[in-house]
Amino acid sequence: MTDRPDRWRIKSVEQSIADTEQAGTRLRRDLTWRDLTVFGVSVVVGAGIFTVTASTAADLTGPAISLSFVIAALTCGLAALCYAEFAATVPVAGSAYTFSYATFGEFTAWIVGWNLVLEFALGTAVVAKGWSSYLATVVGFGGGTVAVGPVAVDWGALLIVVVVAVLLGLGTKLSSRFSAVVTTVKVAVVVLVVVVGAGYVKAANFSPFIPPARTDGTAGTGLDQSVFSLLTGATTSHYGWYGMLAGAAIVFFAFIGFDVVATTAEETRNPQRDVARGILASLGIVTVLYIAVSIVLSGMVSYTELRDAGGAPNLATAFVLNGVTWAGTVISIGALAGLTTVVMVLMLGQSRVLFAMARDGLLPRALARTGARGTPVRITVMVAVLVAVAASVFPMDKLEEMVNVGTLFAFVLVSAAVIILRRTRPDLPRGFRAPWVPVLPAVSILACSWLMLNLTALTWIRFGVWMVLGVALYLGYGRRHSRVGARLSARTDAAADGPDQQRLQK
């Protein structure tokens, strides 16, 4: 054995799988590939398609929004194949965190897990606030906030987080059944958008397909423009080719969540086969829906009309501008249903990542205890409290980009990990093998890195602060309480004591 595992604290695949059988920290295996597909579609078809599509078309891309979706979908597809191979090889809760532990070692695994916290926690908070705003629209009241002293509490966001936490605590299978019902409703609404909206498409609205770059005072400049446009000397990333590329980095938010499927591998009956099916099926379904909606939206109204409509434009805005007010109401109901399952599945993913980290000792081990129903109730409650506070109290402007940068960073490491594990452990049984390795993972790394460069410089600064906090927490707690570190220390001590024990016996 080389000293590489000791130096990097690599947790072997065999040890990761063995840890799933620990008494008191077992997860129940209830899920099929159909359940995983439902989870994937239910989390991905949500905030992105109902809100981000229209706002990105209005502010950044114009009709080229469909190209932005194609670029984002291709990037996600490359990463999805890498996730599918890893989840079939290492069917353990934790997704990219667990995969990184088996290849790069503990420190990188912690960084990945910390970034998944960024993805799931902030993503859940953003979506919960969106749910609250749609609730106000559907029910017909002024808003979902109430003043508690000097703080404005978003009680609508608080309500959905509490309800979802209760469902998750009652069992993953029950959550899957609830998601299946609600997902059927929101997919039906998306199909309605495409069918009804197609009747209002006008060819003139597609011209110019890629609008000229906007350079007036309202366009983003300085730290509010993409890093790529700054590096190449452009003055703005609003419209033009820079806008279309920046739009791809933004609408990537609409695809976030398919990787949640990988976090449920440990709760799947046949993970070697079903996880890959669930990931690829869900991503395929939502890609078709997204591109169809973006084309119809661009044809229904000019991007300038969306931009000048006031407020934050969404899918309902396009129908209202065409006088189809009833469709706007139906879309709001669909969005309310859609965001419900997004909150649920993001919280599910968040709790499973933290569960894996706690089981490894990088967070307090007590959090990894499972209840009578085989679910990590303690972590679910902790996640619910943190998300509820963030969603009900703090403003969430611009946090979509923060979610994106953390997710793309995890995608880069998972793609790299597939290449490494193929070289270091070719003997491992793989229920699914990504094609064209190492070329495909390498292209995935480049594509994800490219999208990261098209996020704003301000987002990168915030991301840097988040990373510093994560490293401090690992050095202050995780490294000293790591179970892998404890095993390696015990092995080293035993080896050092061997000669002494032999001399004593003589």
mmCIF file of all heavy atoms in Angstrom, residues 271-289:
data_model
loop_
_atom_site.group_PDB
_atom_site.id
_atom_site.type_symbol
_atom_site.label_atom_id
_atom_site.label_comp_id
_atom_site.label_asym_id
_atom_site.label_seq_id
_atom_site.Cartn_x
_atom_site.Cartn_y
_atom_site.Cartn_z
ATOM 1 N N PRO A 271 -29.422 0.397 -7.027
ATOM 2 C CA PRO A 271 -28.755 1.643 -7.425
ATOM 3 C C PRO A 271 -27.834 1.489 -8.628
ATOM 4 O O PRO A 271 -27.673 2.422 -9.411
ATOM 5 C CB PRO A 271 -27.962 2.039 -6.172
ATOM 6 C CG PRO A 271 -27.784 0.763 -5.406
ATOM 7 C CD PRO A 271 -29.013 -0.046 -5.683
ATOM 8 N N GLN A 272 -27.226 0.301 -8.804
ATOM 9 C CA GLN A 272 -26.308 0.117 -9.931
ATOM 10 C C GLN A 272 -27.014 0.316 -11.269
ATOM 11 O O GLN A 272 -26.413 0.747 -12.242
ATOM 12 C CB GLN A 272 -25.677 -1.289 -9.886
ATOM 13 C CG GLN A 272 -24.633 -1.472 -8.812
ATOM 14 C CD GLN A 272 -25.229 -1.616 -7.415
ATOM 15 O OE1 GLN A 272 -26.419 -1.879 -7.265
ATOM 16 N NE2 GLN A 272 -24.411 -1.428 -6.389
ATOM 17 N N ARG A 273 -28.290 0.026 -11.326
ATOM 18 C CA ARG A 273 -29.047 0.191 -12.561
ATOM 19 C C ARG A 273 -29.933 1.423 -12.548
ATOM 20 O O ARG A 273 -29.993 2.180 -13.519
ATOM 21 C CB ARG A 273 -29.922 -1.050 -12.792
ATOM 22 C CG ARG A 273 -30.769 -1.001 -14.062
ATOM 23 C CD ARG A 273 -31.870 -2.054 -14.015
ATOM 24 N NE ARG A 273 -32.842 -1.759 -12.969
ATOM 25 C CZ ARG A 273 -33.805 -2.596 -12.578
ATOM 26 N NH1 ARG A 273 -33.894 -3.796 -13.113
ATOM 27 N NH2 ARG A 273 -34.665 -2.234 -11.622
ATOM 28 N N ASP A 274 -30.612 1.660 -11.425
ATOM 29 C CA ASP A 274 -31.709 2.621 -11.418
ATOM 30 C C ASP A 274 -31.278 4.078 -11.288
ATOM 31 O O ASP A 274 -31.980 4.970 -11.764
ATOM 32 C CB ASP A 274 -32.685 2.286 -10.287
ATOM 33 C CG ASP A 274 -33.470 1.007 -10.563
ATOM 34 O OD1 ASP A 274 -33.416 0.547 -11.728
ATOM 35 O OD2 ASP A 274 -34.104 0.476 -9.648
ATOM 36 N N VAL A 275 -30.156 4.345 -10.630
ATOM 37 C CA VAL A 275 -29.740 5.745 -10.452
ATOM 38 C C VAL A 275 -29.415 6.385 -11.799
ATOM 39 O O VAL A 275 -29.842 7.511 -12.091
ATOM 40 C CB VAL A 275 -28.533 5.849 -9.494
ATOM 41 C CG1 VAL A 275 -28.044 7.288 -9.428
ATOM 42 C CG2 VAL A 275 -28.919 5.370 -8.099
ATOM 43 N N ALA A 276 -28.674 5.670 -12.636
ATOM 44 C CA ALA A 276 -28.354 6.203 -13.964
ATOM 45 C C ALA A 276 -29.623 6.446 -14.771
ATOM 46 O O ALA A 276 -29.784 7.483 -15.439
ATOM 47 C CB ALA A 276 -27.426 5.239 -14.709
ATOM 48 N N ARG A 277 -30.555 5.503 -14.702
ATOM 49 C CA ARG A 277 -31.824 5.671 -15.421
ATOM 50 C C ARG A 277 -32.571 6.909 -14.935
ATOM 51 O O ARG A 277 -33.100 7.684 -15.733
ATOM 52 C CB ARG A 277 -32.711 4.435 -15.219
ATOM 53 C CG ARG A 277 -32.272 3.208 -15.991
ATOM 54 C CD ARG A 277 -33.306 2.102 -15.804
ATOM 55 N NE ARG A 277 -32.965 0.901 -16.542
ATOM 56 C CZ ARG A 277 -33.744 -0.185 -16.601
ATOM 57 N NH1 ARG A 277 -34.905 -0.191 -15.946
ATOM 58 N NH2 ARG A 277 -33.378 -1.238 -17.296
ATOM 59 N N GLY A 278 -32.627 7.068 -13.631
ATOM 60 C CA GLY A 278 -33.363 8.197 -13.065
ATOM 61 C C GLY A 278 -32.749 9.536 -13.450
ATOM 62 O O GLY A 278 -33.473 10.485 -13.808
ATOM 63 N N ILE A 279 -31.417 9.632 -13.390
ATOM 64 C CA ILE A 279 -30.733 10.885 -13.724
ATOM 65 C C ILE A 279 -30.950 11.245 -15.186
ATOM 66 O O ILE A 279 -31.353 12.373 -15.523
ATOM 67 C CB ILE A 279 -29.227 10.769 -13.421
ATOM 68 C CG1 ILE A 279 -28.971 10.730 -11.907
ATOM 69 C CG2 ILE A 279 -28.466 11.940 -14.043
ATOM 70 C CD1 ILE A 279 -27.524 10.498 -11.536
ATOM 71 N N LEU A 280 -30.699 10.298 -16.084
ATOM 72 C CA LEU A 280 -30.759 10.592 -17.515
ATOM 73 C C LEU A 280 -32.192 10.804 -17.989
ATOM 74 O O LEU A 280 -32.460 11.671 -18.830
ATOM 75 C CB LEU A 280 -30.085 9.465 -18.300
ATOM 76 C CG LEU A 280 -28.595 9.277 -17.985
ATOM 77 C CD1 LEU A 280 -28.037 8.080 -18.739
ATOM 78 C CD2 LEU A 280 -27.801 10.535 -18.321
ATOM 79 N N ALA A 281 -33.144 10.040 -17.442
ATOM 80 C CA ALA A 281 -34.548 10.208 -17.843
ATOM 81 C C ALA A 281 -35.079 11.564 -17.419
ATOM 82 O O ALA A 281 -35.741 12.262 -18.206
ATOM 83 C CB ALA A 281 -35.401 9.086 -17.244
ATOM 84 N N SER A 282 -34.792 11.966 -16.193
ATOM 85 C CA SER A 282 -35.297 13.256 -15.715
ATOM 86 C C SER A 282 -34.682 14.409 -16.485
ATOM 87 O O SER A 282 -35.381 15.368 -16.863
ATOM 88 C CB SER A 282 -35.034 13.410 -14.210
ATOM 89 O OG SER A 282 -33.654 13.303 -13.913
ATOM 90 N N LEU A 283 -33.384 14.327 -16.767
ATOM 91 C CA LEU A 283 -32.736 15.410 -17.498
ATOM 92 C C LEU A 283 -33.256 15.491 -18.936
ATOM 93 O O LEU A 283 -33.457 16.590 -19.473
ATOM 94 C CB LEU A 283 -31.218 15.201 -17.497
ATOM 95 C CG LEU A 283 -30.391 16.353 -18.070
ATOM 96 C CD1 LEU A 283 -30.634 17.636 -17.287
ATOM 97 C CD2 LEU A 283 -28.903 16.009 -18.055
ATOM 98 N N GLY A 284 -33.498 14.351 -19.570
ATOM 99 C CA GLY A 284 -34.037 14.352 -20.924
ATOM 100 C C GLY A 284 -35.413 14.983 -21.000
ATOM 101 O O GLY A 284 -35.710 15.779 -21.901
ATOM 102 N N ILE A 285 -36.277 14.657 -20.051
ATOM 103 C CA ILE A 285 -37.641 15.198 -20.031
ATOM 104 C C ILE A 285 -37.626 16.715 -19.872
ATOM 105 O O ILE A 285 -38.286 17.447 -20.617
ATOM 106 C CB ILE A 285 -38.460 14.540 -18.899
ATOM 107 C CG1 ILE A 285 -38.725 13.064 -19.223
ATOM 108 C CG2 ILE A 285 -39.789 15.282 -18.684
ATOM 109 C CD1 ILE A 285 -39.290 12.279 -18.063
ATOM 110 N N VAL A 286 -36.866 17.199 -18.916
ATOM 111 C CA VAL A 286 -36.899 18.643 -18.650
ATOM 112 C C VAL A 286 -36.226 19.437 -19.765
ATOM 113 O O VAL A 286 -36.629 20.573 -20.045
ATOM 114 C CB VAL A 286 -36.251 18.977 -17.286
ATOM 115 C CG1 VAL A 286 -36.985 18.260 -16.160
ATOM 116 C CG2 VAL A 286 -34.779 18.620 -17.267
ATOM 117 N N THR A 287 -35.220 18.859 -20.429
ATOM 118 C CA THR A 287 -34.573 19.585 -21.526
ATOM 119 C C THR A 287 -35.553 19.853 -22.654
ATOM 120 O O THR A 287 -35.625 20.968 -23.195
ATOM 121 C CB THR A 287 -33.363 18.781 -22.053
ATOM 122 O OG1 THR A 287 -32.397 18.646 -21.008
ATOM 123 C CG2 THR A 287 -32.723 19.482 -23.237
ATOM 124 N N VAL A 288 -36.346 18.840 -23.020
ATOM 125 C CA VAL A 288 -37.358 19.019 -24.073
ATOM 126 C C VAL A 288 -38.369 20.088 -23.662
ATOM 127 O O VAL A 288 -38.723 20.974 -24.459
ATOM 128 C CB VAL A 288 -38.073 17.681 -24.365
ATOM 129 C CG1 VAL A 288 -39.268 17.899 -25.291
ATOM 130 C CG2 VAL A 288 -37.095 16.683 -24.981
ATOM 131 N N LEU A 289 -38.828 20.034 -22.425
ATOM 132 C CA LEU A 289 -39.807 21.013 -21.953
ATOM 133 C C LEU A 289 -39.237 22.430 -21.975
ATOM 134 O O LEU A 289 -39.888 23.380 -22.422
ATOM 135 C CB LEU A 289 -40.266 20.654 -20.538
ATOM 136 C CG LEU A 289 -41.106 19.383 -20.375
ATOM 137 C CD1 LEU A 289 -41.358 19.113 -18.892
ATOM 138 C CD2 LEU A 289 -42.429 19.505 -21.123
#
